[in-house]
Amino acid sequence: MNVSQAIRSKRAVRSFSKQPLKDVEVRAILNAGRRAQSTKNRQERHFIAVQDRERLKALSKGGAFAGHLKCAALGVVILTPRPEDFYGALFDAGQSAAYMQLAALELGIVSCLATLYKEEKVREILQPPKEWWPLMAISFGYPRDKKGLTIRLLRGGRKAYDEVVHQETW
Ligand SMILES: Cc1cc2nc3c(=O)[nH]c(=O)nc-3n(C[C@H](O)[C@H](O)[C@H](O)COP(=O)(O)O)c2cc1C
């Protein structure tokens, strides 16, 4: 799969097979996040890789729409400074997230983001230093069934080119 195919076919997938990821796959995903560009190359991010089922289940309660983490083969929590302390924090986290998700897709591994709104609950589970903010997580895994993935692909949609692209001025 080349980059443009990956960009075109990537969709949020929230159900996963029980197949675990190989260590080399987990590492490839995390390396993609580590290699992503960042504001002034500050690289102000940490990643917590979670594969323990009980910890994933606990994390899945850390956000209103984070339930998919409980059946993921791998959850990656991205920790950043708070945006009031570093304006680029969330933009940079998004770069790492996209790189990790695309690197995973190349390996046939699907993913979905989860916003962890319940900060205190998440802090109890992961015990990060207080200056690192664990707002975003990503579930990764092999798709539960290929048919489900195809249906999801057909349903996914994006606004039309002319609706969002402007030439020269608005
Ligand atoms: C910043 C951000 C936060 C998101 N948070 C969640 C979330 O908490 N739970 C979830 O199931 N999906 C979450 N998503 C996934 C979006 O719902 C998904 O990317 C969007 O609906 C497009 O899906 P598609 O690519 O399958 O068309 C999030 C996506 C982004 C970019």
Side-chain angles (χ1 to χ4, degrees):
M1 181 180 290
N2 63 34
V3 177
S4 64
Q5 284 166 336
I7 291 170
R8 240 176 304 147
S9 61
K10 189 209 156 292
R11 288 292 178 272
V13 179
R14 299 177 177 84
S15 55
F16 306 97
S17 84
K18 290 198 162 76
Q19 186 181 342
L21 304 190
K22 298 188 188 85
D23 288 348
V24 66
E25 294 171 326
V26 172
R27 207 173 165 87
I29 291 168
L30 292 162
N31 261 326
R34 180 180 70 81
R35 290 189 173 119
Q37 62 191 344
S38 64
T39 307
K40 296 179 181 163
N41 200 25
R42 283 170 61 159
Q43 304 177 61
E44 294 210 37
R45 57 203 173 199
H46 284 267
F47 308 98
I48 300 181
V50 180
Q51 295 180 82
D52 176 81
R53 183 62 51 209
E54 291 310 310
R55 192 165 288 118
L56 284 165
K57 278 186 189 161
L59 265 185
S60 77
K61 296 182 181 133
F65 307 102
H68 49 80
L69 277 163
K70 69 173 176 289
C71 52
L74 167 72
V76 175
V77 180
I78 306 176
L79 298 96
T80 67
R82 290 179 183 278
E84 58 269 32
D85 297 326
F86 171 41
Y87 68 98
L90 288 180
F91 193 95
D92 289 357
Q95 299 281 318
S96 284
Y99 277 41
M100 287 192 278
Q101 293 186 282
L102 290 173
L105 196 55
E106 187 184 27
L107 302 170
I109 295 164
V110 293
S111 61
C112 185
L113 281 151
T115 310
L116 302 174
Y117 300 100
K118 297 177 189 168
E119 183 176 344
E120 286 318 310
K121 193 184 265 291
V122 174
R123 284 190 177 282
E124 268 172 41
I125 301 163
L126 301 175
Q127 304 283 312
K130 66 174 181 339
E131 66 274 24
W132 290 97
W133 187 37
L135 178 69
M136 297 305 303
I138 315 175
S139 293
F140 291 96
Y142 283 99
R144 195 171 60 190
D145 62 76
K146 292 223 162 66
K147 193 164 152 250
L149 180 56
T150 316
I151 291 165
R152 190 74 193 92
L153 282 172
L154 292 173
R155 271 196 209 134
R158 294 294 184 262
K159 290 181 179 175
Y161 185 90
D162 290 336
E163 202 180 333
V164 294
V165 177
H166 307 261
Q167 302 290 347
E168 309 293 348
T169 63
W170 182 280

